[in-house]
């Protein structure tokens, strides 16, 4: 089983709908992140969390919200989806005290907003 | 802020050597990462450099020069399965230690 699991893996929705992407991890890491990836733009940070109930905005947080109610779970919400939020979303975890503190990514959630 | 630059696309021949460059500007430096990402899959960690010099790991090596704001990833004995995107990420010091990613280099390996 994957250490970082994202659900759903694929989702098609309509403009204005509320969407939640969920991430859970079994690595025991405190740090969790949400990135979006668009062709030609690389990975951009949406939100990150260093502990339960700790929430920090990233580079592109407008239109998104997150929740960290447990160490193992970090959910991303789009309150009212719009077409330019169509992207591949990745959850990631890290632990600065282990190895290089590299990121461990989930398998991604592909979201299409019509 | 940070500015990270890497070529958009490179092509190479199976069995050859390819070098993917990454230049960066950052107000504080706490390490540079390389990740590999196959199409439609998650990025996976390849290497980490925090001191100047070359880090070798099998067919892959990564080099860092902090004074020049420059790194490269060297892939030897290329295989078809090395066709992927290679992402350079810089971690800043002084606060959150969050890595920022470049736009990635798409490597195509031809037979």
């Amino acid at each position: 089983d994957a250490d970082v699991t994202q659900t759903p893996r694929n989702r098609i929705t309509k403009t204005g709908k509320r969407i939640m992407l969920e991430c859970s991890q079994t690595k025991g890491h405190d740090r969790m992140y949400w990135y979006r990836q668009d062709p030609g733009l690389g990975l951009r940070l949406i939100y990150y969390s260093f502990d339960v109930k700790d929430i920090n905005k990233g580079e592109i947080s407008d239109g998104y919200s997150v929740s960290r109610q447990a160490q193992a779970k970090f959910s991303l919400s789009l309150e009212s989806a719009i077409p330019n939020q169509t992207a591949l979303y990745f959850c990631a975890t890290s632990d600065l005290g282990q190895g290089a503190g590299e990121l461990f990514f989930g398998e991604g959630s592909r979201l299409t907003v019509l | 802020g940070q500015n990270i630059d890497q070529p958009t696309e490179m092509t190479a021949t199976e069995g050859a050597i390819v070098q993917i460059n990454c230049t960066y500007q950052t107000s504080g430096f706490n390490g540079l990462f390389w990740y590999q990402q196959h199409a439609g899959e998650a990025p996976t960690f390849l290497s980490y450099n925090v001191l100047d010099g070359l880090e070798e790991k099998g067919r892959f090596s990564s080099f860092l020069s902090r004074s020049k704001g420059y790194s490269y990833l060297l892939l030897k004995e290329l295989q078809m399965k090395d066709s992927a995107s290679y992402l350079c990420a810089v971690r800043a010091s002084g606060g959150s230690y969050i890595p920022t990613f470049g736009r990635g280099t798409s490597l195509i390996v031809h037979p």
Side-chain angles (χ1 to χ4, degrees):
Chain A
D1 288 339
D3 293 324
V4 184
T5 305
Q6 293 182 228
T7 56
R9 294 291 312 282
N10 288 281
R11 182 72 183 268
I12 300 173
T13 191
K14 295 181 179 179
T15 298
K17 293 292 188 182
R18 183 177 187 273
I19 295 296
M20 180 181 286
L21 305 180
E22 305 206 48
C23 177
S24 63
Q25 53 119 345
T26 59
K27 300 192 74 66
H29 290 171
D30 287 330
R31 295 182 166 223
M32 297 188 74
Y33 313 80
W34 275 104
Y35 286 90
R36 70 175 275 177
Q37 188 172 43
D38 300 274
L41 294 180
L43 285 162
R44 292 182 292 165
L45 184 64
I46 306 172
Y47 271 96
Y48 61 98
S49 169
F50 289 165
D51 204 347
V52 176
K53 298 188 178 178
D54 174 64
I55 302 296
N56 304 278
K57 292 183 177 181
E59 180 186 351
I60 53 164
S61 59
D62 287 350
Y64 301 95
S65 62
V66 290
S67 175
R68 184 90 183 273
Q69 296 297 318
Q71 191 210 34
K73 297 184 183 296
F74 192 36
S75 60
L76 175 72
S77 294
L78 289 68
E79 296 302 324
S80 179
I82 56 177
N84 77 0
Q85 291 177 313
T86 293
L88 183 57
Y89 290 84
F90 285 103
C91 174
T93 74
S94 72
D95 183 343
L96 287 185
Q98 291 185 12
E102 67 270 26
L103 296 175
F104 294 84
F105 288 87
E107 294 169 310
S109 296
R110 185 169 295 282
L111 177 65
T112 302
V113 184
L114 302 176
Chain B
Q2 296 178 1
N3 186 27
I4 302 168
D5 193 33
Q6 51 182 131
T8 302
E9 186 174 294
M10 299 181 70
T11 60
T13 304
E14 192 176 15
I17 299 173
V18 70
Q19 178 175 311
I20 303 174
N21 296 324
C22 173
T23 58
Y24 64 89
Q25 295 174 313
T26 182
S27 55
F29 179 80
N30 189 258
L32 186 144
F33 298 83
W34 285 96
Y35 290 83
Q36 180 190 59
Q37 184 180 23
H38 286 101
E41 298 183 8
T44 56
F45 170 71
L46 283 178
S47 69
Y48 170 69
N49 295 72
V50 67
L51 300 176
D52 292 349
L54 189 68
E55 294 282 341
E56 297 186 80
K57 193 185 292 185
R59 294 189 297 115
F60 293 5
S61 303
S62 57
F63 172 83
L64 175 68
S65 169
R66 289 172 296 169
S67 63
K68 295 182 179 178
Y70 169 69
S71 173
Y72 67 73
L73 181 69
L74 192 72
L75 290 74
K76 302 177 185 176
E77 301 170 15
L78 280 172
Q79 302 175 10
M80 298 297 290
K81 68 179 182 179
D82 297 329
S83 292
S85 286
Y86 291 86
L87 313 179
C88 173
V90 175
R91 184 167 64 194
S93 61
S96 62
Y97 296 90
I98 300 290
T100 299
F101 285 82
R103 297 187 177 197
T105 299
S106 177
L107 174 66
I108 301 169
V109 179
H110 295 290

